[in-house]
Amino acid sequence: MHVLVATVVHHPEDARILHRQIRALLDAGHRVTYMAPFADCGVTPWQELTPVNVPRAAGRRRTSSLRAARAALARL
């Protein structure tokens, strides 16, 4: 199965998302695409993932992040 995990608010290395949810999916043999604000947080994604970079939503500046995430979802 191919799974998409997406966040525009959390840090890409959030333990709940990356180290628990995504690690469990990878260990179960699934392909994982991870949509997160990698560049804004200065994070290099794991090689096992298919990364999709989106801007980070912070404070009142959330609209551009949501639009970018929506566009990425449409592409995928």
Side-chain angles (χ1 to χ4, degrees), residues 8-60:
V8 295
V9 178
H10 296 92
H11 191 280
E13 292 179 337
D14 183 277
R16 296 166 295 178
I17 298 170
L18 184 63
H19 298 287
R20 291 188 186 119
Q21 181 182 16
I22 291 177
R23 175 51 56 204
L25 289 166
L26 290 171
D27 289 347
H30 301 293
R31 291 183 311 148
V32 178
T33 297
Y34 187 23
M35 181 188 310
F38 298 107
D40 288 348
C41 294
V43 172
T44 302
W46 290 352
Q47 291 182 353
E48 303 96 339
L49 301 172
T50 303
V52 177
N53 187 56
V54 292
R56 185 168 188 181
R60 293 178 179 248

